Amino acid sequence: MSKILIVEDEPDIAELLVYNLHQAGFETITAFNGEDALKHVNIQSPDLILLDLLLPGVDGLDICRILKNNPATADIPVIMLTAKGEKTDRIVGLELGADDYITKPFSPREVVLRIRAVQRRMQGTGTSAAVKQLRIHDLVIDLDKHQVFNRRQKVDLTATEFKLLALLAGAPGRVFTRDLLMNELWGDNYFAVDRTVDTHVSRLRRKLGELSGAIETVRGIGYRFRE
Ligand code: CA
């Protein structure tokens, strides 16, 4: 269940938010001023923060700045609650890294929809980060570090072999023609012949040991990675 920190000094609005977020299945924590908000962030690590900008003491923009400058809290999404006239504050807030804003007066339903939209967006970035590692059969291919592990054993590959493996394993079942592979591996300025691809594939297969069969030859066309 997602935990939402509500930072709002007006008790009526805070109560309205708590009620409606509970109805929508969220867990809530409430802070009525900036100091408490920062305390709650550190102790309770909320999943998202609804942040009123006009607060007594440390105001909303300061909180936003503090959170976004701290690597430990920078990734917590922030939705600002602003009054109609606070356009400059809104812009500053977005520049500081806030993820969205809602103008008062708002409907609770809108707040719930915005929270869900921001969370979906965050999940989106989460998956794209996860794609930096391919896991297939017993292989882990780390696209960032250019490392390959076969059952946790590191496999030493040349740059070309790595590229070849990442291409094939990145689209299991898809047939890559030799032409396409040559183009991907060496670009247009290659002096490679069909045999060059074959040579790299057989070296790669040898290094993959028991998994060598995962790279299948498609007779007369090219190669594919077994699904
Ligand atoms: Ca306020």
Side-chain angles (χ1 to χ4, degrees):
M1 197 197 291
S2 291
K3 208 194 279 179
I4 314 289
L5 171 61
I6 299 165
V7 188
E8 170 63 71
D9 59 316
E10 286 153 80
D12 291 352
I13 298 180
E15 205 177 302
L16 179 76
L17 287 169
V18 168
Y19 176 81
N20 283 280
L21 293 189
H22 283 174
Q23 291 287 311
F26 295 105
E27 200 180 311
T28 61
I29 316 154
T30 313
F32 294 101
N33 59 59
E35 285 80 3
D36 280 353
L38 291 171
K39 254 181 250 162
H40 282 308
V41 169
N42 292 323
I43 298 166
Q44 311 242 25
S45 50
D47 299 300
L48 185 144
I49 303 170
L50 280 180
L51 179 62
D52 182 29
L53 287 193
L54 265 184
L55 294 167
V58 187
D59 81 1
L61 286 180
D62 286 330
I63 293 174
C64 196
R65 192 175 291 118
I66 292 166
L67 294 176
K68 294 297 177 184
N69 281 332
N70 179 352
T73 55
D75 289 339
I76 306 173
V78 173
I79 300 179
M80 301 179 284
L81 302 175
T82 73
K84 267 220 174 82
E86 296 170 357
K87 192 171 172 217
T88 328
D89 286 351
R90 267 201 303 271
I91 295 166
V92 174
L94 291 172
E95 276 171 0
L96 287 173
D99 298 86
D100 202 354
Y101 65 86
I102 297 169
T103 316
K104 289 179 185 175
F106 49 75
S107 78
R109 192 179 136 73
E110 184 191 0
V111 177
V112 170
L113 291 177
R114 294 292 188 94
I115 291 174
R116 294 211 170 113
V118 167
Q119 288 189 321
R120 264 199 307 278
R121 255 183 1 236
M122 296 296 290
Q123 272 166 8
T125 54
T127 30
S128 72
V131 165
K132 287 172 184 164
Q133 236 187 34
L134 293 174
R135 284 164 187 273
I136 185 157
H137 306 306
D138 286 326
L139 285 179
V140 176
I141 303 167
D142 192 316
L143 300 175
D144 269 346
K145 294 182 191 157
H146 272 235
Q147 285 178 338
V148 177
F149 295 89
N150 185 359
R151 292 199 180 143
R152 297 195 183 161
Q153 291 279 87
K154 199 173 168 215
V155 185
D156 280 314
L157 299 180
T158 63
T160 305
E161 287 159 0
F162 181 86
K163 239 168 135 181
L164 183 60
L165 177 63
L167 265 173
L168 294 169
R174 176 178 163 193
V175 178
F176 288 83
T177 63
R178 286 189 176 79
D179 272 350
L180 181 73
L181 288 173
M182 280 194 279
N183 229 309
E184 291 287 343
L185 295 175
W186 296 288
D188 284 332
N189 309 316
Y190 61 88
F191 298 98
V193 288
D194 287 6
R195 280 291 305 152
T196 319
V197 174
D198 298 341
T199 310
H200 284 281
V201 169
S202 44
R203 279 199 209 126
L204 177 59
R205 273 180 178 153
R206 222 173 303 142
K207 289 184 181 179
L208 291 179
E210 298 148 62
L211 274 178
S212 61
I215 300 174
E216 299 172 326
T217 305
V218 183
R219 213 173 277 269
I221 301 174
Y223 297 95
R224 86 174 147 225
F225 205 82
R226 201 176 59 213
E227 272 178 288

